[in-house]
Amino acid sequence: MQSSEQSSEQSGGQRSEWAGRSVVVTGAASGIGRATALKFAAAGARVLVADLDGGGAEKVVRDVERGGGTALAVVGDLSDPQVVDAVVERAVAAFGGPDVLVNNAGIMDRMSALGETDDAEWERVLRVNLTAPFLLTRAVLPHMLAAGHGSIVFTASEAGLRGGAAGAAYTAAKHGVVGLVKNLAVMYRKQGIRANAVAPGPTRTRIHVDADPQAHGPALISPLIGANIGRLGSAEEQAAAIVFLASDAAAFVNGAVLPVDDGWAAV
Ligand code: NAD
């Protein structure tokens, strides 16, 4: 079975810019990462699916292969430098590049206000949402620099744009992601590397908030979110924006943080 994108590209006789490209997507077993991996693969890219969830990652690989595409999974916790090295080594060995890195894997905090945030919540949320993308980007950069090109897209969040969308740890981590994106864009633009982010609004995925709704943080934040969001987005809508930012169509877009949120950031 072919995807509609593959069919239309082939019938139009045009070669997709993604044909044969090497793309790494983290958090690709579920939600936004899964939709992004499927979209790149349908366009002809060879996709490394990196995730903690082995069953989910292998299923995405099978879904890609069923569509005539090419993917492989590397399973592990991306906050572990050994897993990061394994991801990059497998991608380079199997697919070359990488041409594109999508730093998407992430977890929510407990919506805790700073005074209620224990060390474990702080360290885990910062480690997964900010340190893991740092480690992976650092590991991929030498390959992109050697190739003279590369595109890195991060999944930030509305919580990277404002103070009223999550708890202290997630808000700090996603603001950190925005800072990384802008600094990368400045530091590496002369070397042909672009870095951008999407800032999703609420999107239907499996992401999970383990919060006591009576606690200070969630009780304060929930009404702020409820009053300002529009509709729930789909993972595919986020994936479309991620693929655009990675693509040659966005060749002059660097250091941008694109809200994909039905106007929430505009409120
Ligand atoms: P999801 O839970 O459906 O998918 C996240 C994936 O990341 C899962 O497959 C999970 O196993 C993986 N993952 C988590 N920690 C990992 C780790 N340490 N190592 C490897 N893999 C790990 O959630 P999603 O909504 O698709 O989340 C994707 C990104 O979108 C996250 O960065 C999240 O912060 C961001 N985001 C989501 C929303 C939303 O409303 N869904 C809004 C704003 C931002």
mmCIF file of all heavy atoms in Angstrom, residues 26-34 50-53 76-80 83 103-108 124 127-129 132 155-159 170 174 198-208 232 235 238, ligand 1:
data_model
loop_
_atom_site.group_PDB
_atom_site.id
_atom_site.type_symbol
_atom_site.label_atom_id
_atom_site.label_comp_id
_atom_site.label_asym_id
_atom_site.label_seq_id
_atom_site.Cartn_x
_atom_site.Cartn_y
_atom_site.Cartn_z
ATOM 1 N N THR A 26 12.715 11.555 17.773
ATOM 2 C CA THR A 26 12.636 11.011 19.125
ATOM 3 C C THR A 26 11.192 11.078 19.633
ATOM 4 O O THR A 26 10.392 11.901 19.173
ATOM 5 C CB THR A 26 13.555 11.772 20.110
ATOM 6 O OG1 THR A 26 12.993 13.059 20.389
ATOM 7 C CG2 THR A 26 14.957 11.921 19.547
ATOM 8 N N GLY A 27 10.889 10.171 20.550
ATOM 9 C CA GLY A 27 9.513 10.085 21.028
ATOM 10 C C GLY A 27 8.585 9.659 19.924
ATOM 11 O O GLY A 27 7.408 10.037 19.882
ATOM 12 N N ALA A 28 9.107 8.824 19.016
ATOM 13 C CA ALA A 28 8.374 8.512 17.791
ATOM 14 C C ALA A 28 7.460 7.298 17.921
ATOM 15 O O ALA A 28 6.845 6.885 16.942
ATOM 16 C CB ALA A 28 9.358 8.311 16.634
ATOM 17 N N ALA A 29 7.349 6.741 19.127
ATOM 18 C CA ALA A 29 6.440 5.606 19.306
ATOM 19 C C ALA A 29 4.997 6.059 19.455
ATOM 20 O O ALA A 29 4.081 5.237 19.356
ATOM 21 C CB ALA A 29 6.854 4.800 20.537
ATOM 22 N N SER A 30 4.786 7.334 19.706
ATOM 23 C CA SER A 30 3.445 7.802 20.080
ATOM 24 C C SER A 30 3.242 9.244 19.644
ATOM 25 O O SER A 30 4.208 9.980 19.417
ATOM 26 C CB SER A 30 3.297 7.691 21.602
ATOM 27 O OG SER A 30 2.093 8.267 22.059
ATOM 28 N N GLY A 31 1.998 9.636 19.536
ATOM 29 C CA GLY A 31 1.618 11.039 19.435
ATOM 30 C C GLY A 31 2.283 11.806 18.302
ATOM 31 O O GLY A 31 2.318 11.363 17.150
ATOM 32 N N ILE A 32 2.821 12.967 18.648
ATOM 33 C CA ILE A 32 3.391 13.886 17.655
ATOM 34 C C ILE A 32 4.598 13.254 16.962
ATOM 35 O O ILE A 32 4.767 13.380 15.742
ATOM 36 C CB ILE A 32 3.778 15.220 18.339
ATOM 37 C CG1 ILE A 32 2.519 15.925 18.870
ATOM 38 C CG2 ILE A 32 4.551 16.121 17.387
ATOM 39 C CD1 ILE A 32 2.790 17.098 19.813
ATOM 40 N N GLY A 33 5.437 12.556 17.729
ATOM 41 C CA GLY A 33 6.616 11.923 17.130
ATOM 42 C C GLY A 33 6.230 10.825 16.158
ATOM 43 O O GLY A 33 6.828 10.703 15.076
ATOM 44 N N ARG A 34 5.243 10.020 16.520
ATOM 45 C CA ARG A 34 4.776 8.947 15.633
ATOM 46 C C ARG A 34 4.261 9.538 14.317
ATOM 47 O O ARG A 34 4.631 9.089 13.222
ATOM 48 C CB ARG A 34 3.673 8.149 16.335
ATOM 49 C CG ARG A 34 3.062 7.076 15.491
ATOM 50 C CD ARG A 34 1.968 6.302 16.250
ATOM 51 N NE ARG A 34 1.464 5.218 15.427
ATOM 52 C CZ ARG A 34 0.540 5.369 14.496
ATOM 53 N NH1 ARG A 34 -0.005 6.560 14.294
ATOM 54 N NH2 ARG A 34 0.165 4.337 13.762
ATOM 55 N N ALA A 50 13.211 6.663 17.628
ATOM 56 C CA ALA A 50 13.872 6.513 18.936
ATOM 57 C C ALA A 50 12.842 6.721 20.030
ATOM 58 O O ALA A 50 12.152 7.745 20.052
ATOM 59 C CB ALA A 50 15.003 7.539 19.071
ATOM 60 N N ASP A 51 12.753 5.758 20.940
ATOM 61 C CA ASP A 51 11.761 5.885 22.022
ATOM 62 C C ASP A 51 12.070 4.892 23.131
ATOM 63 O O ASP A 51 12.695 3.849 22.914
ATOM 64 C CB ASP A 51 10.347 5.618 21.480
ATOM 65 C CG ASP A 51 9.274 6.333 22.295
ATOM 66 O OD1 ASP A 51 9.046 5.935 23.463
ATOM 67 O OD2 ASP A 51 8.665 7.279 21.770
ATOM 68 N N LEU A 52 11.574 5.217 24.318
ATOM 69 C CA LEU A 52 11.599 4.318 25.480
ATOM 70 C C LEU A 52 10.713 3.102 25.280
ATOM 71 O O LEU A 52 10.992 2.036 25.808
ATOM 72 C CB LEU A 52 10.958 5.069 26.670
ATOM 73 C CG LEU A 52 11.757 5.725 27.743
ATOM 74 C CD1 LEU A 52 10.795 6.339 28.758
ATOM 75 C CD2 LEU A 52 12.638 4.698 28.426
ATOM 76 N N ASP A 53 9.640 3.314 24.564
ATOM 77 C CA ASP A 53 8.580 2.318 24.418
ATOM 78 C C ASP A 53 8.897 1.406 23.226
ATOM 79 O O ASP A 53 8.625 1.755 22.071
ATOM 80 C CB ASP A 53 7.251 3.075 24.230
ATOM 81 C CG ASP A 53 6.105 2.167 23.812
ATOM 82 O OD1 ASP A 53 6.279 0.927 23.784
ATOM 83 O OD2 ASP A 53 5.029 2.717 23.502
ATOM 84 N N GLY A 76 15.258 3.004 24.080
ATOM 85 C CA GLY A 76 15.991 3.341 25.304
ATOM 86 C C GLY A 76 15.625 4.725 25.792
ATOM 87 O O GLY A 76 14.919 5.476 25.110
ATOM 88 N N ASP A 77 16.132 5.040 26.977
ATOM 89 C CA ASP A 77 15.873 6.334 27.603
ATOM 90 C C ASP A 77 16.868 7.353 27.053
ATOM 91 O O ASP A 77 18.082 7.246 27.283
ATOM 92 C CB ASP A 77 16.036 6.180 29.127
ATOM 93 C CG ASP A 77 15.699 7.457 29.872
ATOM 94 O OD1 ASP A 77 15.738 8.552 29.264
ATOM 95 O OD2 ASP A 77 15.416 7.361 31.077
ATOM 96 N N LEU A 78 16.359 8.345 26.352
ATOM 97 C CA LEU A 78 17.227 9.307 25.664
ATOM 98 C C LEU A 78 17.945 10.256 26.621
ATOM 99 O O LEU A 78 18.794 11.040 26.184
ATOM 100 C CB LEU A 78 16.409 10.099 24.639
ATOM 101 C CG LEU A 78 15.992 9.246 23.441
ATOM 102 C CD1 LEU A 78 14.751 9.821 22.784
ATOM 103 C CD2 LEU A 78 17.136 9.140 22.436
ATOM 104 N N SER A 79 17.629 10.167 27.899
ATOM 105 C CA SER A 79 18.416 10.965 28.844
ATOM 106 C C SER A 79 19.693 10.238 29.242
ATOM 107 O O SER A 79 20.513 10.777 29.984
ATOM 108 C CB SER A 79 17.573 11.315 30.079
ATOM 109 O OG SER A 79 17.308 10.161 30.841
ATOM 110 N N ASP A 80 19.869 9.025 28.717
ATOM 111 C CA ASP A 80 21.085 8.231 28.962
ATOM 112 C C ASP A 80 22.053 8.446 27.782
ATOM 113 O O ASP A 80 21.722 8.104 26.639
ATOM 114 C CB ASP A 80 20.678 6.754 29.082
ATOM 115 C CG ASP A 80 21.866 5.817 29.209
ATOM 116 O OD1 ASP A 80 23.022 6.253 29.007
ATOM 117 O OD2 ASP A 80 21.623 4.633 29.489
ATOM 118 N N VAL A 83 22.447 5.682 25.240
ATOM 119 C CA VAL A 83 21.335 5.513 24.298
ATOM 120 C C VAL A 83 21.453 6.552 23.183
ATOM 121 O O VAL A 83 21.255 6.245 21.998
ATOM 122 C CB VAL A 83 19.970 5.619 25.034
ATOM 123 C CG1 VAL A 83 18.812 5.607 24.046
ATOM 124 C CG2 VAL A 83 19.829 4.497 26.058
ATOM 125 N N ASN A 103 13.926 16.611 17.778
ATOM 126 C CA ASN A 103 13.975 16.419 19.233
ATOM 127 C C ASN A 103 12.568 16.609 19.774
ATOM 128 O O ASN A 103 12.146 17.726 20.097
ATOM 129 C CB ASN A 103 14.897 17.474 19.853
ATOM 130 C CG ASN A 103 16.350 17.092 19.759
ATOM 131 O OD1 ASN A 103 16.734 15.972 20.106
ATOM 132 N ND2 ASN A 103 17.171 18.028 19.303
ATOM 133 N N ASN A 104 11.838 15.516 19.846
ATOM 134 C CA ASN A 104 10.412 15.614 20.185
ATOM 135 C C ASN A 104 10.028 14.948 21.499
ATOM 136 O O ASN A 104 9.069 15.358 22.139
ATOM 137 C CB ASN A 104 9.614 14.997 19.022
ATOM 138 C CG ASN A 104 8.174 14.748 19.399
ATOM 139 O OD1 ASN A 104 7.354 15.664 19.404
ATOM 140 N ND2 ASN A 104 7.856 13.501 19.745
ATOM 141 N N ALA A 105 10.777 13.919 21.929
ATOM 142 C CA ALA A 105 10.374 13.177 23.135
ATOM 143 C C ALA A 105 10.241 14.125 24.319
ATOM 144 O O ALA A 105 11.057 15.032 24.504
ATOM 145 C CB ALA A 105 11.399 12.094 23.455
ATOM 146 N N GLY A 106 9.203 13.907 25.106
ATOM 147 C CA GLY A 106 9.026 14.768 26.273
ATOM 148 C C GLY A 106 8.007 14.190 27.229
ATOM 149 O O GLY A 106 7.231 13.303 26.877
ATOM 150 N N ILE A 107 8.065 14.691 28.450
ATOM 151 C CA ILE A 107 7.102 14.293 29.482
ATOM 152 C C ILE A 107 6.579 15.551 30.164
ATOM 153 O O ILE A 107 7.272 16.568 30.219
ATOM 154 C CB ILE A 107 7.745 13.363 30.545
ATOM 155 C CG1 ILE A 107 9.040 13.992 31.116
ATOM 156 C CG2 ILE A 107 8.020 11.977 29.969
ATOM 157 C CD1 ILE A 107 9.612 13.244 32.317
ATOM 158 N N MET A 108 5.363 15.466 30.703
ATOM 159 C CA MET A 108 4.801 16.579 31.468
ATOM 160 C C MET A 108 5.336 16.562 32.894
ATOM 161 O O MET A 108 5.815 15.534 33.377
ATOM 162 C CB MET A 108 3.277 16.431 31.544
ATOM 163 C CG MET A 108 2.504 17.119 30.442
ATOM 164 S SD MET A 108 2.862 18.890 30.311
ATOM 165 C CE MET A 108 2.099 19.521 31.809
ATOM 166 N N ARG A 124 13.899 14.976 36.664
ATOM 167 C CA ARG A 124 13.435 14.107 35.575
ATOM 168 C C ARG A 124 12.904 14.942 34.401
ATOM 169 O O ARG A 124 13.217 14.677 33.240
ATOM 170 C CB ARG A 124 12.338 13.157 36.100
ATOM 171 C CG ARG A 124 11.863 12.128 35.074
ATOM 172 C CD ARG A 124 12.956 11.142 34.716
ATOM 173 N NE ARG A 124 12.570 10.256 33.614
ATOM 174 C CZ ARG A 124 13.421 9.681 32.780
ATOM 175 N NH1 ARG A 124 14.725 9.873 32.900
ATOM 176 N NH2 ARG A 124 12.994 8.891 31.832
ATOM 177 N N ARG A 127 15.742 16.695 32.701
ATOM 178 C CA ARG A 127 16.621 15.716 32.056
ATOM 179 C C ARG A 127 16.027 15.237 30.715
ATOM 180 O O ARG A 127 16.717 15.187 29.705
ATOM 181 C CB ARG A 127 16.805 14.533 33.024
ATOM 182 C CG ARG A 127 17.745 13.472 32.595
ATOM 183 C CD ARG A 127 19.166 13.737 33.084
ATOM 184 N NE ARG A 127 20.084 12.955 32.287
ATOM 185 C CZ ARG A 127 21.343 13.260 32.069
ATOM 186 N NH1 ARG A 127 21.880 14.327 32.601
ATOM 187 N NH2 ARG A 127 22.107 12.509 31.316
ATOM 188 N N VAL A 128 14.745 14.898 30.744
ATOM 189 C CA VAL A 128 14.120 14.353 29.524
ATOM 190 C C VAL A 128 13.829 15.464 28.511
ATOM 191 O O VAL A 128 14.070 15.297 27.306
ATOM 192 C CB VAL A 128 12.811 13.590 29.871
ATOM 193 C CG1 VAL A 128 12.083 13.157 28.597
ATOM 194 C CG2 VAL A 128 13.125 12.379 30.749
ATOM 195 N N ASN A 129 13.322 16.593 28.993
ATOM 196 C CA ASN A 129 12.824 17.616 28.062
ATOM 197 C C ASN A 129 13.903 18.578 27.575
ATOM 198 O O ASN A 129 13.747 19.189 26.520
ATOM 199 C CB ASN A 129 11.705 18.434 28.726
ATOM 200 C CG ASN A 129 10.439 17.633 28.927
ATOM 201 O OD1 ASN A 129 10.359 16.465 28.543
ATOM 202 N ND2 ASN A 129 9.449 18.236 29.538
ATOM 203 N N ALA A 132 18.197 15.804 27.355
ATOM 204 C CA ALA A 132 18.239 14.795 26.279
ATOM 205 C C ALA A 132 18.339 15.450 24.890
ATOM 206 O O ALA A 132 19.198 15.040 24.089
ATOM 207 C CB ALA A 132 17.033 13.856 26.372
ATOM 208 N N THR A 155 10.416 20.004 19.545
ATOM 209 C CA THR A 155 9.032 20.201 19.984
ATOM 210 C C THR A 155 9.095 20.935 21.314
ATOM 211 O O THR A 155 9.417 20.339 22.349
ATOM 212 C CB THR A 155 8.288 18.866 20.127
ATOM 213 O OG1 THR A 155 8.381 18.158 18.881
ATOM 214 C CG2 THR A 155 6.820 19.113 20.428
ATOM 215 N N ALA A 156 8.848 22.243 21.259
ATOM 216 C CA ALA A 156 8.784 23.037 22.499
ATOM 217 C C ALA A 156 7.371 22.903 23.032
ATOM 218 O O ALA A 156 6.826 21.792 23.119
ATOM 219 C CB ALA A 156 9.182 24.477 22.209
ATOM 220 N N SER A 157 6.730 23.993 23.349
ATOM 221 C CA SER A 157 5.374 23.945 23.920
ATOM 222 C C SER A 157 4.887 25.367 24.102
ATOM 223 O O SER A 157 5.691 26.314 24.162
ATOM 224 C CB SER A 157 5.402 23.255 25.285
ATOM 225 O OG SER A 157 4.157 23.393 25.946
ATOM 226 N N GLU A 158 3.595 25.485 24.229
ATOM 227 C CA GLU A 158 3.030 26.759 24.686
ATOM 228 C C GLU A 158 3.710 27.169 26.011
ATOM 229 O O GLU A 158 3.901 28.349 26.280
ATOM 230 C CB GLU A 158 1.528 26.541 24.910
ATOM 231 C CG GLU A 158 0.713 27.788 24.934
ATOM 232 C CD GLU A 158 0.529 28.426 23.575
ATOM 233 O OE1 GLU A 158 0.634 27.745 22.538
ATOM 234 O OE2 GLU A 158 0.289 29.646 23.553
ATOM 235 N N ALA A 159 4.097 26.168 26.793
ATOM 236 C CA ALA A 159 4.762 26.439 28.080
ATOM 237 C C ALA A 159 6.178 26.983 27.892
ATOM 238 O O ALA A 159 6.813 27.394 28.860
ATOM 239 C CB ALA A 159 4.802 25.179 28.938
ATOM 240 N N TYR A 170 8.308 21.946 33.879
ATOM 241 C CA TYR A 170 8.028 21.853 32.431
ATOM 242 C C TYR A 170 8.192 23.230 31.784
ATOM 243 O O TYR A 170 8.762 23.342 30.693
ATOM 244 C CB TYR A 170 6.610 21.313 32.237
ATOM 245 C CG TYR A 170 6.227 20.958 30.823
ATOM 246 C CD1 TYR A 170 6.558 19.716 30.269
ATOM 247 C CD2 TYR A 170 5.496 21.841 30.027
ATOM 248 C CE1 TYR A 170 6.169 19.377 28.967
ATOM 249 C CE2 TYR A 170 5.102 21.513 28.739
ATOM 250 C CZ TYR A 170 5.446 20.272 28.213
ATOM 251 O OH TYR A 170 5.052 19.937 26.931
ATOM 252 N N LYS A 174 10.893 23.903 28.851
ATOM 253 C CA LYS A 174 10.502 24.299 27.488
ATOM 254 C C LYS A 174 11.010 25.707 27.147
ATOM 255 O O LYS A 174 11.334 25.972 25.985
ATOM 256 C CB LYS A 174 8.982 24.186 27.315
ATOM 257 C CG LYS A 174 8.466 22.733 27.355
ATOM 258 C CD LYS A 174 9.028 21.854 26.235
ATOM 259 C CE LYS A 174 8.363 20.476 26.196
ATOM 260 N NZ LYS A 174 8.859 19.614 25.103
ATOM 261 N N VAL A 198 8.521 23.878 16.990
ATOM 262 C CA VAL A 198 7.077 24.103 17.078
ATOM 263 C C VAL A 198 6.746 24.288 18.555
ATOM 264 O O VAL A 198 7.407 23.714 19.426
ATOM 265 C CB VAL A 198 6.250 22.928 16.495
ATOM 266 C CG1 VAL A 198 6.372 22.868 14.989
ATOM 267 C CG2 VAL A 198 6.616 21.598 17.136
ATOM 268 N N ALA A 199 5.736 25.084 18.807
ATOM 269 C CA ALA A 199 5.214 25.244 20.170
ATOM 270 C C ALA A 199 3.759 24.791 20.139
ATOM 271 O O ALA A 199 2.852 25.586 19.868
ATOM 272 C CB ALA A 199 5.336 26.694 20.622
ATOM 273 N N PRO A 200 3.552 23.480 20.382
ATOM 274 C CA PRO A 200 2.173 22.974 20.263
ATOM 275 C C PRO A 200 1.272 23.515 21.358
ATOM 276 O O PRO A 200 1.673 23.644 22.518
ATOM 277 C CB PRO A 200 2.334 21.455 20.431
ATOM 278 C CG PRO A 200 3.772 21.162 20.184
ATOM 279 C CD PRO A 200 4.506 22.399 20.636
ATOM 280 N N GLY A 201 0.040 23.792 20.973
ATOM 281 C CA GLY A 201 -1.036 23.926 21.948
ATOM 282 C C GLY A 201 -1.542 22.537 22.277
ATOM 283 O O GLY A 201 -0.985 21.530 21.816
ATOM 284 N N PRO A 202 -2.603 22.429 23.081
ATOM 285 C CA PRO A 202 -3.086 21.113 23.514
ATOM 286 C C PRO A 202 -3.414 20.211 22.332
ATOM 287 O O PRO A 202 -4.167 20.596 21.442
ATOM 288 C CB PRO A 202 -4.357 21.437 24.309
ATOM 289 C CG PRO A 202 -4.236 22.856 24.656
ATOM 290 C CD PRO A 202 -3.402 23.517 23.615
ATOM 291 N N THR A 203 -2.809 19.042 22.335
ATOM 292 C CA THR A 203 -2.872 18.143 21.186
ATOM 293 C C THR A 203 -3.221 16.747 21.679
ATOM 294 O O THR A 203 -2.674 16.297 22.699
ATOM 295 C CB THR A 203 -1.490 18.144 20.482
ATOM 296 O OG1 THR A 203 -1.153 19.492 20.148
ATOM 297 C CG2 THR A 203 -1.498 17.309 19.223
ATOM 298 N N ARG A 204 -4.104 16.071 20.953
ATOM 299 C CA ARG A 204 -4.575 14.746 21.374
ATOM 300 C C ARG A 204 -3.457 13.712 21.198
ATOM 301 O O ARG A 204 -3.146 13.317 20.086
ATOM 302 C CB ARG A 204 -5.800 14.357 20.538
ATOM 303 C CG ARG A 204 -6.702 13.356 21.210
ATOM 304 C CD ARG A 204 -7.999 13.128 20.459
ATOM 305 N NE ARG A 204 -8.890 14.267 20.445
ATOM 306 C CZ ARG A 204 -9.084 15.093 19.413
ATOM 307 N NH1 ARG A 204 -8.430 14.919 18.288
ATOM 308 N NH2 ARG A 204 -9.931 16.103 19.503
ATOM 309 N N THR A 205 -2.820 13.316 22.295
ATOM 310 C CA THR A 205 -1.749 12.306 22.278
ATOM 311 C C THR A 205 -1.876 11.503 23.572
ATOM 312 O O THR A 205 -2.860 11.642 24.284
ATOM 313 C CB THR A 205 -0.346 12.971 22.239
ATOM 314 O OG1 THR A 205 -0.120 13.643 23.477
ATOM 315 C CG2 THR A 205 -0.191 13.953 21.087
ATOM 316 N N ARG A 206 -0.835 10.740 23.877
ATOM 317 C CA ARG A 206 -0.880 9.966 25.131
ATOM 318 C C ARG A 206 -0.181 10.681 26.288
ATOM 319 O O ARG A 206 0.000 10.108 27.354
ATOM 320 C CB ARG A 206 -0.211 8.598 24.910
ATOM 321 C CG ARG A 206 -1.047 7.649 24.069
ATOM 322 C CD ARG A 206 -0.549 6.229 24.215
ATOM 323 N NE ARG A 206 0.856 6.184 24.575
ATOM 324 C CZ ARG A 206 1.717 5.264 24.154
ATOM 325 N NH1 ARG A 206 1.317 4.305 23.357
ATOM 326 N NH2 ARG A 206 2.977 5.278 24.535
ATOM 327 N N ILE A 207 0.236 11.929 26.073
ATOM 328 C CA ILE A 207 0.983 12.601 27.143
ATOM 329 C C ILE A 207 0.102 12.687 28.391
ATOM 330 O O ILE A 207 -1.108 12.869 28.289
ATOM 331 C CB ILE A 207 1.513 13.984 26.704
ATOM 332 C CG1 ILE A 207 2.725 14.375 27.555
ATOM 333 C CG2 ILE A 207 0.422 15.051 26.739
ATOM 334 C CD1 ILE A 207 3.630 15.410 26.928
ATOM 335 N N HIS A 208 0.758 12.558 29.550
ATOM 336 C CA HIS A 208 0.012 12.291 30.769
ATOM 337 C C HIS A 208 0.426 13.292 31.848
ATOM 338 O O HIS A 208 1.604 13.513 32.071
ATOM 339 C CB HIS A 208 0.353 10.854 31.199
ATOM 340 C CG HIS A 208 -0.225 10.482 32.507
ATOM 341 N ND1 HIS A 208 -1.580 10.463 32.732
ATOM 342 C CD2 HIS A 208 0.353 10.102 33.671
ATOM 343 C CE1 HIS A 208 -1.814 10.098 33.981
ATOM 344 N NE2 HIS A 208 -0.656 9.876 34.576
ATOM 345 N N LEU A 232 -8.765 21.171 20.503
ATOM 346 C CA LEU A 232 -7.609 20.269 20.621
ATOM 347 C C LEU A 232 -7.037 20.024 19.228
ATOM 348 O O LEU A 232 -7.790 19.818 18.277
ATOM 349 C CB LEU A 232 -8.049 18.919 21.178
ATOM 350 C CG LEU A 232 -8.136 18.729 22.691
ATOM 351 C CD1 LEU A 232 -8.491 17.277 22.982
ATOM 352 C CD2 LEU A 232 -6.818 19.094 23.361
ATOM 353 N N ALA A 235 -2.120 15.142 16.317
ATOM 354 C CA ALA A 235 -0.680 14.898 16.153
ATOM 355 C C ALA A 235 -0.258 15.183 14.715
ATOM 356 O O ALA A 235 0.849 15.680 14.471
ATOM 357 C CB ALA A 235 -0.360 13.455 16.545
ATOM 358 N N GLN A 238 0.533 18.806 14.115
ATOM 359 C CA GLN A 238 1.873 19.161 14.611
ATOM 360 C C GLN A 238 2.951 18.628 13.661
ATOM 361 O O GLN A 238 3.930 19.324 13.361
ATOM 362 C CB GLN A 238 2.089 18.597 16.030
ATOM 363 C CG GLN A 238 1.086 19.093 17.062
ATOM 364 C CD GLN A 238 1.128 20.598 17.290
ATOM 365 O OE1 GLN A 238 2.123 21.258 16.985
ATOM 366 N NE2 GLN A 238 0.039 21.149 17.822
HETATM 367 P P1 NAD B 1 3.185 11.175 23.871
HETATM 368 O O1 NAD B 1 3.263 10.771 25.301
HETATM 369 O O2 NAD B 1 2.061 10.648 23.046
HETATM 370 O O3 NAD B 1 4.567 10.854 23.141
HETATM 371 C C1 NAD B 1 5.802 11.104 23.772
HETATM 372 C C2 NAD B 1 6.751 9.970 23.443
HETATM 373 O O4 NAD B 1 8.014 10.285 24.032
HETATM 374 C C3 NAD B 1 6.300 8.617 24.018
HETATM 375 O O5 NAD B 1 6.316 7.634 23.016
HETATM 376 C C4 NAD B 1 7.311 8.341 25.118
HETATM 377 O O6 NAD B 1 7.575 6.945 25.306
HETATM 378 C C5 NAD B 1 8.543 9.081 24.596
HETATM 379 N N1 NAD B 1 9.470 9.404 25.668
HETATM 380 C C6 NAD B 1 9.199 10.054 26.835
HETATM 381 N N2 NAD B 1 10.306 10.129 27.571
HETATM 382 C C7 NAD B 1 11.301 9.520 26.879
HETATM 383 C C8 NAD B 1 12.668 9.262 27.130
HETATM 384 N N3 NAD B 1 13.247 9.638 28.267
HETATM 385 N N4 NAD B 1 13.377 8.609 26.183
HETATM 386 C C9 NAD B 1 12.803 8.196 25.051
HETATM 387 N N5 NAD B 1 11.507 8.418 24.749
HETATM 388 C C10 NAD B 1 10.770 9.065 25.653
HETATM 389 O O7 NAD B 1 3.156 12.765 23.925
HETATM 390 P P2 NAD B 1 3.205 13.912 22.791
HETATM 391 O O8 NAD B 1 2.164 14.880 23.179
HETATM 392 O O9 NAD B 1 3.228 13.358 21.427
HETATM 393 O O10 NAD B 1 4.608 14.574 23.169
HETATM 394 C C11 NAD B 1 5.588 14.925 22.204
HETATM 395 C C12 NAD B 1 6.167 16.288 22.553
HETATM 396 O O11 NAD B 1 5.145 17.268 22.417
HETATM 397 C C13 NAD B 1 6.708 16.432 23.978
HETATM 398 O O12 NAD B 1 7.960 17.091 23.944
HETATM 399 C C14 NAD B 1 5.679 17.303 24.657
HETATM 400 O O13 NAD B 1 6.232 18.055 25.711
HETATM 401 C C15 NAD B 1 5.243 18.173 23.498
HETATM 402 N N6 NAD B 1 3.949 18.854 23.669
HETATM 403 C C16 NAD B 1 2.791 18.143 23.688
HETATM 404 C C17 NAD B 1 1.585 18.819 23.842
HETATM 405 C C18 NAD B 1 0.264 18.066 23.864
HETATM 406 O O14 NAD B 1 -0.756 18.687 24.203
HETATM 407 N N7 NAD B 1 0.216 16.792 23.509
HETATM 408 C C19 NAD B 1 1.575 20.210 23.972
HETATM 409 C C20 NAD B 1 2.778 20.894 23.961
HETATM 410 C C21 NAD B 1 3.969 20.215 23.796
#
